[in-house]
Amino acid sequence: MTGAEQSHPLDLESPRFSIEKPAARYDKQGERADAQRLAAASRAFARDFGRAAAAYMESCIHCGNCAEACHFYLATGDPKYTPIWKLEPFKQAYKREAGPFAWIYRVLNLKRAVTVAELEEWQELLYDSCTMCGRCTQICPMGIDIASLVGLARHAMFEAGLVPHELWAVAERAEREGSPLGATPKVLKERLEWLADDYEVDIPVDRPEAEVLATFSSIEIMKYPASLVATARVLNRSGYAWTVSTAGYEATNFGMLSGNLAWQRDMSMKLIEAAIACKAKLLVLPECGHAYTALRWQGANMLGRPLPFRVLHISEFLAEALAAGRIALRRLEKSVVFHDPCQVSRRGGATAAPREALAALGVELRETRDAGGRSFCCGGGGGVVTIHRADELRYGAFRIKMAQIDASGAELAVTSCSNCRQSFDDGRAHFGWERQMGSLLELVAEQLAD
């Protein structure tokens, strides 16, 4: 039986809120021979051997600094979790097939040909133990973008049909239904109607023209609906003509996380086409880290030309609206610790925006020892939170973040990524931790001044 034939009901009450643990794992997709899987992986490796990747492959000096930056290595002390080692099959294929001395590597067999067995072994390293958080990239003295290379290596893994069971399932469902968690257009409309009625807030849907297109993540739609209400309240107060589009609203992009470029493009194009259709000048992304990477930094690549509208993470929108006087906030006499989502802060560069919003709230910000671009990942990014066999490893990494949050002594903990909130909720349930991770957006919406 393949992953596509397996049933995957959702556990709506779980703090993880993901696909249930499969009764039997199917970490191979399809019924292909090993030779066919290897050929597909080799084609994908070759496609991604561009100049940047080649420069990175040739630059590693094996210093080991990236290990000390990785939360999975620090949690275990196991050298196999050294970030650059996770790329060994990709590097092996490059050295043997595309590097400047490839013929020497082949003739002397200095680098053996990659095998399916190796790819199967490396599946855990490329998916279970890498959130693509970029902390290793930041610390590399040679400037190697290890996180991006992991993303490229995942392309080959998907082409070979070697994606972890649960991650493949949510990516396939997103491609088939438009949402990884069943938040179809019908479900979205029903949920927005209910929220508009219960919270007495105007939530415009499918306006033919709007200045701003608001998007959501499925985890917000299904588990954190207060974020949808908060988005509406902030946008209504800001004075923009805005809308939600049932043709393009799902900002999560499991195509990117799983390694399927075609699915990544399909998911991005729904948002892009929806924004173009309503003539939006601005597309606002939700509190979702990888959604920011997928559209803000890779969206133009999917379209094939510059995007004809601006893209802002919701925290950036809040900072701009506050600076322009479009919204004002009541002071909040609390101490707050902020968790920086890796893809928004370190990888995306939007580190100042949430702090500007917190400053406008007048809170006492208590930074963790490693904050901003140096912040440790929650441990669940990159699709890791969906993979049940990675739980023990992920919980070990989560201890680092948990200890730093506790050390801050802050009254409130907030972040600007709903997927991080999901990881914190799951870690909280697992450890019996008393901390609750809240939403920056929801906090701001609660403090909107009249």
Side-chain angles (χ1 to χ4, degrees), residues 331-349:
R331 291 183 64 83
L332 180 65
E333 302 298 331
K334 297 279 187 179
S335 57
V336 173
V337 59
F338 181 74
H339 165 66
D340 287 272
C342 305
Q343 299 299 323
V344 179
S345 182
R346 178 165 46 254
R347 300 290 286 167

Side-chain angles (χ1 to χ4, degrees), residues 11 69 109 135 163 203 216 219 240 254 319 349 385 401 412 417:
D11 180 2
N109 202 31
R135 210 165 183 269
V163 179
I203 307 179
F216 303 119
I219 194 69
Y240 287 108
F254 277 92
V385 74
K401 176 57 68 172
L412 300 177
C417 176

Side-chain angles (χ1 to χ4, degrees), residues 257-407:
L257 298 183
S258 64
N260 188 316
L261 276 170
W263 289 358
Q264 177 181 347
R265 182 180 186 280
D266 288 347
M267 294 169 195
S268 292
M269 287 305 298
K270 287 182 180 180
L271 301 183
I272 293 168
E273 289 170 355
I276 292 172
C278 71
K279 301 180 176 62
K281 298 180 178 66
L282 171 64
L283 186 149
V284 177
L285 291 167
E287 290 190 318
C288 177
H290 75 263
Y292 189 66
T293 296
L295 196 67
R296 174 65 180 87
W297 300 114
Q298 298 185 23
N301 294 338
M302 300 297 108
L303 180 61
R305 58 186 172 87
L307 296 176
F309 48 82
R310 295 177 69 212
V311 176
L312 291 179
H313 184 266
I314 186 63
S315 63
E316 294 176 301
F317 178 84
L318 293 175
E320 285 197 5
L322 286 162
R326 285 183 171 271
I327 60 173
L329 305 178
R330 300 189 303 272
R331 291 183 64 83
L332 180 65
E333 302 298 331
K334 297 279 187 179
S335 57
V336 173
V337 59
F338 181 74
H339 165 66
D340 287 272
C342 305
Q343 299 299 323
V344 179
S345 182
R346 178 165 46 254
R347 300 290 286 167
T351 304
R355 287 165 175 79
E356 290 167 15
L358 290 169
L361 284 167
V363 301
E364 177 195 348
L365 178 60
R366 297 186 181 179
E367 299 278 22
T368 57
R369 186 186 63 193
D370 299 283
R374 302 188 308 277
S375 180
F376 273 101
C377 179
C378 65
V384 174
V385 74
T386 68
I387 306 170
H388 286 271
R389 71 183 182 194
D391 285 351
E392 183 178 353
L393 182 63
R394 178 169 59 83
Y395 289 136
F398 183 74
R399 288 179 181 273
I400 299 172
K401 176 57 68 172
M402 190 164 59
Q404 290 194 339
I405 295 288
D406 280 341

Side-chain angles (χ1 to χ4, degrees), residues 61-137:
I61 58 174
H62 307 285
C63 65
N65 283 355
C66 60
E68 297 301 325
C70 179
H71 45 289
F72 292 118
Y73 173 81
L74 293 176
T76 64
D78 191 331
K80 76 176 183 179
Y81 295 124
T82 301
I84 199 67
W85 178 245
K86 297 169 186 177
L87 295 166
E88 186 57 25
F90 192 22
K91 188 175 182 181
Q92 192 172 318
Y94 165 77
K95 292 283 190 180
R96 184 181 173 88
E97 305 299 335
F101 302 107
W103 67 275
I104 296 178
Y105 281 101
R106 286 196 300 272
V107 170
L108 301 180
N109 202 31
L110 298 177
K111 287 288 183 182
R112 295 176 292 103
V114 178
T115 66
V116 169
E118 284 179 296
L119 295 180
E120 289 180 305
E121 180 183 354
W122 253 260
Q123 186 186 91
E124 180 208 355
L125 299 182
L126 288 169
Y127 287 102
D128 301 33
S129 64
C130 184
T131 58
M132 297 189 289
C133 75
R135 210 165 183 269
C136 54
T137 294

